[in-house]
């Protein structure tokens, strides 16, 4: 028996060491590539193939199954983790070449996206103005000149349709792969692997939410008589909240974001368990145009000792752009929440400690979205957001926002449901062509936005061009429901969330399980109840007056809660970077790092202003 135990332990050591090495090699190359250096793309693809080969290794899976026959206690638990992991990835050898073909195509698409010219034609001068997709989207929300907003819309549309042909080929190859494994299509494959759900189960839930909230489209059409042009795609966000975004901007200056993030997380009692965090937050050409968080080093154990993980996360701040600061705050809190999740795991097998299956996408997004929802709450704004003169964010501004956007609040899940529905239709299509993709994009975008002008908006979502993030946008939707449920739980239990030192430790109690539990079971562990969509429905259908009264109540509760004071301590080693340049770190303290980074931002902003 002792010999079998030793053999089992040797197998577990081999599995952990091999996966950790291959994962780290791939993730380091992934970061380099997605931060704008495509010279490593061939190496990245090769590293991904090595990861895929390990995950799909049937011989390893069979060794785990054999060892399970006599395993007991901790060894049995560990082997079950690996059995669950391998079951997600078993791939016949003959499909590995097909998988590499998909990876090569995805790398080529990402390279093209990183090097393409982005911008719009100025309608007043006829000149082409270089501007990133992110900047044009922000201008559509904040630019007072409608002709410029329309020009940005047209610029984004050009980018959206530019890779429709590549998408056709991606869908074909991915479906070929999934069908060879016995799945209906690639969407069914990703949904089952990630969430253990069937398409009918997911989309019946989304259909119910759609039916219960689509009444807001009638309200928007009625409001257009007062706001002509409201439902044009380049007008809606601006007309409903453009002025609010400008008024809020002074209170959400990006140069203060790092310090406010640190203070907020420290006040929640969040502990990164001595992890290494690398943050790349400012936009530059060639950099991936969406925020994300990955873990190049996974939390792992050896000889009973715990070794901390490492996390890289990014967003695309456009310095000086109105509204960019607010978006950056949300992304920073969101990705910082992801980082906290998987640097706090305590499961001893690395296959349970990473961002891919068997980890539920919905569960992973629940943590990050919970923390970005806290940051955008009126009580967080009242406590943390001040302008350059130290004046606090006024509640009247929140009330103005609530009344301005009340008409569209019920539609907040529409964008997520749109992407999910579009991808489902892509993979279900019998014969896909570029023209059909464009027609589907127009039809689905109209269903979920009901703009008065056709748009291919859904095609600009970058997730669908990468295997790992394709066909998983539904995770954000399920997470929205979970966030509303979890927030309701905390408010009922404590009365407040912001600066509540009990929140971090409670989140740790579910973080520590890694990928051990399903999305639904994890919600029961977190709240003591099964997931319910009702808190979400209630939050988006509440009247403006109800929301304003609730904000006043929650801000009043915080009057009795001490503000975070003293030095910020997150138990993390942090580097602020810009590409390959290290700007600052926290070796001398979080405050010193934040001050150095703020100074660098100011210098960068001054340089940009001089160049302009």
């Amino acid at each position: 028996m002792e010999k079998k135990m030793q053999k089992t332990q040797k197998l577990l050591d081999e599995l952990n060491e091999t996966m950790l090495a291959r994962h780290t090699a791939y993730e380091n190359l992934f970061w380099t590539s997605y931060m704008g250096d495509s010279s490593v793309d061939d190496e990245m693809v090769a590293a991904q193939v090595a990861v895929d080969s390990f995950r799909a290794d049937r011989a390893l899976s069979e060794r785990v199954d054999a060892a399970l026959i006599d395993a007991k206690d901790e060894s049995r638990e560990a082997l079950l983790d690996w059995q669950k992991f391998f079951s997600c990835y078993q791939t016949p050898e003959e499909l590995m070449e097909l998988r590499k073909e998909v990876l090569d195509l995805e790398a080529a698409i990402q390279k093209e996206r990183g090097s393409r010219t982005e911008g719009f034609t100025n309608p007043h001068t006829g000149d082409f103005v270089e501007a990133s997709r992110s900047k044009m989207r922000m201008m559509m929300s904040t630019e007072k000149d409608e002709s410029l907003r329309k020009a940005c819309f047209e610029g984004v549309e050009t980018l959206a349709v530019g890779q429709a042909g590549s998408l056709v080929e991606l869908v074909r190859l991915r479906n070929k792969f999934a069908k060879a494994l016995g799945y209906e299509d690639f969407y069914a494959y990703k949904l089952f692997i990630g969430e253990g759900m069937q398409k009918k189960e997911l989309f019946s839930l989304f259909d119910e939410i759609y039916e219960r909230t689509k009444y807001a489209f009638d309200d928007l059409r009625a409001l257009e008589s007062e706001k002509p042009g409201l439902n044009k795609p380049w007008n809606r966000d601006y007309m409903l909240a453009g002025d609010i975004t400008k008024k809020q901007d002074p209170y959400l200056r990006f140069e203060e974001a790092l310090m406010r993030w640190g203070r907020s997380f420290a006040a929640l009692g969040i502990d990164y368990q001595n992890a290494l965090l690398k943050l790349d937050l400012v936009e530059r050409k060639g950099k991936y145009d969406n925020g994300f968080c990955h873990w190049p080093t996974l939390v792992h154990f050896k000889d009973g000792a715990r070794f901390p993980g490492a996390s890289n996360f990014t967003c695309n701040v456009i310095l000086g752009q109105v509204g960019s600061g607010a978006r950056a705050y949300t992304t920073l809190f969101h990705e910082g929440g992801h980082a906290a999740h998987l640097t706090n795991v305590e499961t001893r097998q690395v296959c349970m400690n990473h961002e891919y299956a068997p980890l539920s996408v919905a569960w992973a997004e629940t943590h990050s979205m919970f923390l970005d929802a806290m940051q955008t709450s009126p009580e967080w704004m009242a406590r943390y957001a001040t302008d350059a003169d130290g004046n606090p964010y006024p509640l009247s501004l929140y009330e103005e926002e609530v009344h301005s956007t009340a008409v569209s609040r019920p539609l907040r899940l529409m964008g997520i449901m749109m992407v999910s529905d579009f991808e489902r239709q892509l993979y279900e299509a019998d014969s896909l062509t570029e023209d059909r993709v464009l027609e589907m994009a127009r039809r689905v975008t109209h269903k979920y936005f009901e703009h008065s002008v056709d748009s291919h908006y859904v095609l600009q979502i970058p997730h669908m061009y990468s295997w790992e993030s394709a066909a998983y946008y539904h995770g954000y939707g399920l997470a929205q429901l979970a966030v509303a449920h979890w927030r309701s739980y905390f408010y009922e239990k404590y009365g407040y969330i912001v600066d509540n030192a009990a929140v971090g430790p409670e989140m740790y109690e579910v973080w520590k399980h890694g990928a051990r539990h399903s999305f639904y079971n994890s919600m029961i562990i977190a709240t003591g109840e099964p997931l319910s969509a009702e808190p979400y429905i209630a939050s988006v259908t509440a009247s403006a007056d109800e929301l304003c009264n609730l904000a006043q109540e929650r801000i009043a509760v915080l009057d009795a809660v001490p503000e975070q004071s003293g030095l910020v301590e997150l138990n993390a080693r942090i580097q602020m970077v810009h590409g390959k340049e290290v700007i600052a770190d926290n070796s001398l303290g979080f405050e010193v790092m934040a001050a150095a980074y703020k100074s660098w931002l100011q210098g960068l902003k001054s340089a940009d202003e001089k160049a302009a």
Side-chain angles (χ1 to χ4, degrees):
M1 180 59 71
E2 184 176 347
K3 186 174 290 187
K4 286 185 177 180
M5 290 175 62
Q6 291 174 346
K7 186 177 179 181
T8 296
Q9 188 58 52
K10 185 178 179 180
L11 172 61
L12 292 171
D13 290 343
E14 176 189 340
L15 293 173
N16 280 289
E17 290 168 9
T18 304
M19 179 174 172
L20 183 62
R22 296 193 185 189
H23 176 93
T24 299
Y26 166 71
E27 289 295 344
N28 284 333
L29 291 164
F30 173 91
W31 176 259
T32 299
S33 175
Y34 275 58
M35 291 302 98
D37 183 356
S38 60
S39 68
V40 302
D41 284 357
D42 288 345
E43 292 178 76
M44 180 183 69
V45 170
Q48 177 70 78
V49 169
V51 170
D52 287 344
S53 296
F54 172 79
R55 298 193 296 199
D57 193 318
R58 185 170 300 278
L60 287 177
S61 178
E62 290 173 351
R63 287 172 63 189
V64 168
D65 292 342
L68 264 168
I69 295 173
D70 297 316
K72 295 181 180 179
D73 303 326
E74 290 183 9
S75 293
R76 179 173 180 77
E77 188 176 77
L79 290 166
L80 286 171
D81 286 343
W82 283 104
Q83 186 181 62
K84 182 178 181 180
F85 168 79
F86 282 121
S87 71
C88 296
Y89 297 103
Q90 287 307 287
T91 306
E93 185 64 33
E94 60 268 22
L95 290 183
M96 296 306 291
E97 186 60 34
L98 175 60
R99 177 75 169 98
K100 185 179 183 303
E101 189 177 351
V102 176
L103 291 172
D104 286 335
L105 178 56
E106 290 175 358
I109 290 172
Q110 173 55 27
K111 185 176 182 178
E112 181 184 339
R113 290 175 68 88
S115 61
R116 67 188 177 183
T117 299
E118 300 184 349
F120 62 93
T121 300
N122 187 314
H124 303 299
T125 66
D127 295 334
F128 182 79
V129 180
E130 280 205 39
S132 67
R133 181 182 73 94
S134 297
K135 183 170 184 176
M136 289 187 285
R137 288 179 60 203
M138 186 60 65
M139 288 178 67
M140 287 165 59
S141 299
T142 60
E143 172 57 54
K144 65 180 179 180
D145 184 338
E146 181 181 352
S147 65
L148 285 176
R149 293 199 304 273
K150 182 180 179 182
C152 287
F153 165 76
E154 291 168 347
V156 171
E157 280 287 298
T158 299
L159 297 177
V161 303
Q163 292 176 310
S166 298
L167 188 59
V168 171
E169 182 63 6
L170 273 182
V171 169
R172 184 185 73 80
L173 292 174
R174 289 170 178 169
N175 264 350
K176 184 178 179 181
F177 180 94
K179 289 177 179 179
L181 293 177
Y183 291 89
E184 175 189 347
D185 54 43
F186 185 75
Y187 203 105
Y189 161 71
K190 285 295 294 287
L191 179 61
F192 185 78
I193 293 299
E195 307 299 340
M197 296 177 71
Q198 304 292 330
K199 285 191 292 183
K200 183 177 181 180
E201 181 184 4
L202 172 69
F203 287 99
S204 63
L205 175 61
F206 280 178
D207 288 347
E208 179 188 356
I209 294 170
Y210 178 86
E211 292 298 327
R212 293 177 65 179
T213 57
K214 69 177 183 180
Y215 67 86
F217 289 128
D218 293 333
D219 297 338
L220 281 168
R221 281 190 291 273
L223 186 60
E224 193 161 23
S225 61
E226 300 175 27
K227 297 177 181 285
L230 170 66
N231 288 313
K232 292 177 180 177
W234 57 85
N235 281 344
R236 185 181 289 172
D237 287 349
Y238 176 80
M239 287 186 168
L240 292 179
D243 286 341
I244 303 299
T245 301
K246 293 176 185 176
K247 291 176 182 178
Q248 287 183 340
D249 199 63
Y251 300 97
L252 293 170
R253 291 162 292 124
F254 179 65
E255 58 265 31
E256 303 297 337
L258 185 61
M259 196 66 220
R260 291 174 182 175
W261 166 70
R263 285 179 56 209
S264 298
F265 274 42
L268 292 175
I270 289 177
D271 184 326
Y272 282 96
Q273 305 289 340
N274 198 34
L276 173 63
L277 309 182
K278 185 185 293 185
L279 285 65
D280 188 326
L281 306 179
V282 178
E283 182 180 75
R284 61 183 174 276
K285 186 171 178 58
K287 180 182 176 183
Y288 186 66
D289 61 349
N290 208 66
F292 68 81
C293 178
H294 278 227
W295 292 260
T297 303
L298 304 176
V299 171
H300 56 286
F301 290 78
K302 188 169 185 178
D303 298 329
R306 183 185 191 274
F307 291 83
S311 175
N312 296 335
F313 58 97
T314 179
C315 62
N316 291 73
V317 177
I318 306 167
L319 297 179
Q321 174 70 46
V322 172
S324 182
R327 181 169 293 177
Y329 273 77
T330 299
T331 308
L332 181 58
F333 276 66
H334 180 100
E335 307 304 345
H338 274 310
H341 177 194
L342 288 183
T343 58
N344 271 280
V345 293
E346 298 292 348
T347 41
R348 292 182 174 251
Q349 308 306 310
V350 292
C351 61
M352 293 288 112
N353 299 348
H354 62 120
E355 63 266 43
Y356 308 117
L359 181 66
S360 156
V361 172
W363 186 231
E365 294 300 333
T366 296
H367 307 285
S368 54
M369 292 168 67
F370 176 91
L371 288 160
D372 76 49
M374 178 198 73
Q375 181 272 313
T376 55
S377 69
E379 58 266 40
W380 186 93
M381 294 288 287
R383 170 152 288 192
Y384 282 93
T386 59
D387 65 16
D389 296 321
N391 298 311
Y393 173 83
L395 179 60
S396 60
L397 188 51
Y398 170 76
E399 293 173 339
E400 183 180 351
E401 177 189 15
V402 167
H403 282 91
S404 296
T405 60
V407 66
S408 63
R409 178 176 287 271
L411 305 176
R412 288 194 169 183
L413 206 60
M414 290 295 180
I416 290 170
M417 294 192 296
M418 171 190 68
V419 178
S420 303
D421 194 6
F422 177 68
E423 287 197 271
R424 177 190 61 151
Q425 292 186 40
L426 276 180
Y427 293 106
E428 288 180 349
D430 290 331
S431 56
L432 204 58
T433 64
E434 186 172 344
D435 286 343
R436 190 172 180 192
V437 168
L438 297 178
E439 185 276 326
M440 288 168 60
R442 291 191 296 271
R443 176 166 40 80
V444 172
T445 300
H446 179 75
K447 174 182 177 179
Y448 290 94
F449 285 166
E450 289 204 9
H451 288 137
S452 58
V453 174
D454 280 345
S455 169
H456 303 90
Y457 176 87
V458 69
L459 281 172
Q460 66 175 282
I461 306 301
H463 294 65
M464 65 184 71
Y465 298 100
S466 169
W467 179 289
E468 300 295 354
S469 57
Y472 92 174
Y473 224 73
H474 52 260
Y476 296 114
L478 293 171
Q480 287 275 28
L481 308 183
V483 167
H485 189 158
W486 210 1
R487 282 171 61 81
S488 176
Y489 159 82
F490 275 116
Y491 281 125
E492 185 174 334
K493 184 173 182 178
Y494 297 108
Y496 69 107
I497 293 174
V498 174
D499 288 2
N500 184 342
V503 170
E506 279 216 32
M507 296 184 83
Y508 166 78
E509 289 302 316
V510 287
W511 285 339
K512 69 182 182 182
H513 296 296
R516 276 270 172 80
H517 301 288
S518 69
F519 170 61
Y520 286 104
N521 287 342
S522 295
M523 278 304 298
I524 293 172
I525 294 170
T527 68
E529 300 175 338
L531 175 71
S532 170
E534 293 308 315
Y536 171 80
I537 297 292
S539 70
V540 298
T541 58
S543 70
D545 288 342
E546 288 172 330
L547 292 172
C548 291
N549 291 336
L550 186 60
Q552 291 177 352
E553 293 172 7
R554 289 176 175 172
I555 290 171
V557 170
L558 276 190
D559 289 341
V561 179
E563 293 191 34
Q564 195 273 341
S565 60
L567 299 177
V568 170
E569 181 50 66
L570 297 173
N571 191 18
R573 295 164 289 141
I574 306 174
Q575 291 181 341
M576 306 303 301
V577 304
H578 187 60
K580 296 179 181 179
E581 179 185 4
V582 179
I583 308 303
D585 65 42
N586 69 332
S587 57
L588 297 178
F590 192 96
E591 290 74 13
V592 174
M593 176 187 69
Y597 190 66
K598 180 177 179 179
S599 177
W600 177 79
L601 288 172
Q602 291 169 337
L604 196 63
K605 186 177 180 181
S606 297
D608 288 346
E609 290 172 348
K610 287 180 181 178

